Amino acid sequence: MSEIPCEKNAELRKKILEFAEVLKTQAHTLGDHGLDEQDFYQSGLFRGTIERIRGQFSASMKEKRDFVSLVLSHMQEGGYITDWGSAGEANRHDYVVTLNTGRTAIIELKGCLDGNNTNIFERPPHADEFIVWSVCSNPGADPRHNVWSGIHTRLSAEMIDRNQRIDGLVVWDWICGTLARPCPKLATDQTRLTEVGPYRVPPPCIYLFPGTVPSPRNNPKPRVNALSDVGILDAMHQCFGGLDRELNRVEFEVGHEGVETVRTTSISRGGVEQKKSSPTPIRRS
């Protein structure tokens, strides 16, 4: 039972921790900085270098956008979508996709879902469909923690409190199916990998959200979208060889406990409930 089939590679995580310790104690032996061990660590050179590298990895969206562009171009070339384009920096969403039905799908690109950036989105008025796509490029991240944090802690609260409808979520990037993040979908069938540019990716993890915004009085437990209701997710599912039993259904049930609004989140896959929260208050900072 899990909110996402894959999990972090425990052995890789162990190696990351071990190497981090080596780096902290042996960094002064690297490079031509001209400082002895004591001066090296007291100078701030090591800490400054680590912060710079961390900032470069965190701030750069180029690799993520390149991956999304490759995927959408592959879908267009295969006839699964009609057209797509970047929405531009002036908008609070990232991609506009024209589906074969003529509907407009909007994609909001996010990282690992466990940070405050996940809370920042706005469904535009012209969207027939609106999805969030999580591209988590950190090989050491825990996908199970991130997915649950994103869906239950962050996205559900935003949807209910700000009346923002999200039709679905995709959790998928170039690390999926690699040593850093083994994919159970490939356990018995490596032919399920699809070549997209320099990458070979498994089918995406797709989460279907309720078709309407939950409301304590008028809509406490809205119906979850069918795959056919969300054309962009249907197109991804078909293009990359997803199986219906792998689809995730996300249910939100909202109500009042005293003066507080609470929501219960559950995720099911293949007809089996994978995880369910207790009623959790929506508290905004």
Side-chain angles (χ1 to χ4, degrees), residues 67-183:
F67 175 74
V68 172
S69 296
L70 285 168
V71 168
L72 294 178
S73 293
H74 180 84
M75 293 175 67
Q76 183 180 8
E77 290 165 6
Y80 293 94
I81 60 175
T82 298
D83 198 8
W84 70 273
S86 172
E89 295 182 2
N91 293 291
R92 296 189 68 178
H93 55 274
D94 295 289
Y95 297 94
V96 180
V97 179
T98 303
L99 303 174
N100 292 345
T101 59
R103 288 166 61 87
T104 297
I106 301 296
I107 298 174
E108 173 73 19
L109 188 61
K110 295 297 183 186
C112 296
L113 296 180
D114 62 337
N116 289 333
N117 178 262
T118 302
N119 299 38
I120 304 171
F121 64 89
E122 195 78 34
R123 182 185 180 116
H126 65 288
D128 294 312
E129 304 173 5
F130 180 78
I131 69 162
V132 173
W133 185 344
S134 168
V135 177
C136 183
S137 57
N138 178 2
D142 183 346
R144 295 184 176 180
H145 165 78
N146 292 340
V147 166
W148 186 250
S149 174
I151 292 175
H152 176 60
T153 305
R154 301 179 184 282
L155 294 179
S156 70
E158 293 297 317
M159 292 170 66
I160 296 164
D161 189 64
R162 293 200 292 117
N163 196 36
Q164 291 285 312
R165 180 160 61 92
I166 300 173
D167 295 302
L169 167 71
V170 177
V171 181
W172 191 37
D173 54 64
W174 62 90
I175 299 176
C176 294
T178 67
L179 180 64
R181 198 182 298 150
C183 179

Side-chain angles (χ1 to χ4, degrees), residues 20-48:
E21 289 302 313
V22 171
L23 191 60
K24 283 193 291 185
T25 57
Q26 301 297 319
H28 64 281
T29 66
L30 304 174
D32 187 22
H33 46 74
L35 301 174
D36 63 26
E37 182 177 352
Q38 184 176 2
D39 288 342
F40 176 82
Y41 290 106
Q42 289 182 343
S43 69
L45 178 61
F46 174 68
R47 179 63 180 269

